[in-house]
Amino acid sequence: MNPISGTTSKVGIPELIDRTLDKEKFDYEIYMTERPGHASEIAIEAKNAGVDIVVAVGGDGTVNEVARSIVHSHTALGIIPCGSGNGLARHLMIPMNLRKAIEIINVCEIHALDFGIVCGHPFFCTCGMGFDAFVSQKFAEAGKRGPITYVQKVLEEGVRYKPETYELQDENGTNRYKAFLISCANASQYGNNAYIAPQASMRDGLMDVIIMEPFDILEAPQISIDMFNKTLDKSSKIKTFKCKKLHIHRKSPGVIHYDGDPVMAGEDVDIEIQEKGIYMIVNPDANKRLRRPNVLQSAAADLFNEINVVRSDISKQGRHIIALSKVLQRKLNL
């Protein structure tokens, strides 16, 4: 358990686990992490001791530490989500209610799922470069956790960030893109139900590659709504494809992220999916609870689509007026 993950106290969680966990099915011990990397040490010891399940009680950082330590083993990962974003738990539809999350562990339905590797670092939700990696770095430097801090960094840095040019090579060839960000998704979201890759699956042996092209500030609200409405893949600013392995070349070294943790990497970045490489406890009712856009989100998306149509029409009319003006000037010899 990570006592400092997220923004809420973890004091009552051990008692909740004791009350809720099925003790006829499980023997258990609780360990508190004391420093970065400690969760990995605990998970490795448990794996080597033949423990069946290691449960990460924390956010995506804690989940990554535990998960990367038990890949390609018979030890399964469970999650009690207590972080700021809880991207992997949300993708797996693990309830954010802690008691209900523990009840999912009691059911103990275990599946073999995919994970990714970027520059030697395992990831389970997403990795990427460009703006999201840049913000991950600023978020880590901020020291204060929580979605408010993250949004603050997005707003502060978004207007200043300059898109870069990337060369992407997969099994089907090489393409060059100028991009605001490139995200490689094993799971569907960053966290907090921000769906960067709505169609991503942890069961298909493939990553979803998302290229977000540069956009102007007036298009940002629509992109945000699309992300939370699970329709980002329909945006005109998004190009997406699936692959198993990807090589990315950029002009200079820079920051990348894996599951939100920033790290420096070189000009060349290699990413690949490890098919069915980790066992995880999943929600057996997940397919029955597939998230649908709500009425408010759909209405907001429709509104911004209409605004974009109007903006496009105004832009076209403006260009037409300029062209007519030039013709008139020529005829009048101005």
Side-chain angles (χ1 to χ4, degrees), residues 194-231:
Y195 288 84
I196 185 66
Q199 307 304 321
S201 169
M202 296 181 70
R203 306 169 190 268
D204 61 0
L206 301 169
M207 72 182 92
D208 284 44
V209 182
I210 300 90
I211 300 109
M212 184 178 290
E213 297 179 337
F215 54 89
D216 65 51
I217 194 167
L218 293 177
E219 294 171 306
Q222 176 63 59
I223 290 172
S224 298
I225 287 172
D226 286 341
M227 190 174 293
F228 286 98
N229 207 32
K230 296 182 74 172
T231 55

Side-chain angles (χ1 to χ4, degrees), residues 35-48 65 69:
R35 59 188 178 278
H38 193 198
S40 284
E41 296 171 16
I42 295 168
I44 290 170
E45 289 180 7
K47 176 186 68 176
N48 292 341
E65 278 198 31
S69 304

Side-chain angles (χ1 to χ4, degrees), residues 280-292:
M280 294 189 189
I281 294 178
V282 302
N283 184 344
D285 297 323
N287 290 335
K288 303 173 187 175
R289 298 175 56 244
L290 289 176
R291 183 177 178 272
R292 298 285 187 265

Side-chain angles (χ1 to χ4, degrees), residues 112 119 150 203 211 242 278 322:
C119 297
Y150 190 84
R203 306 169 190 268
I211 300 109
K242 290 178 180 282
I278 183 168
I322 290 170

Side-chain angles (χ1 to χ4, degrees), residues 47 69 76-77 162 189 237 274 298 326 330:
K47 176 186 68 176
S69 304
L77 172 73
K162 302 298 182 185
Q189 62 168 280
K237 294 297 179 180
Q274 300 284 303
S298 297
K326 289 180 178 178
R330 285 198 299 270

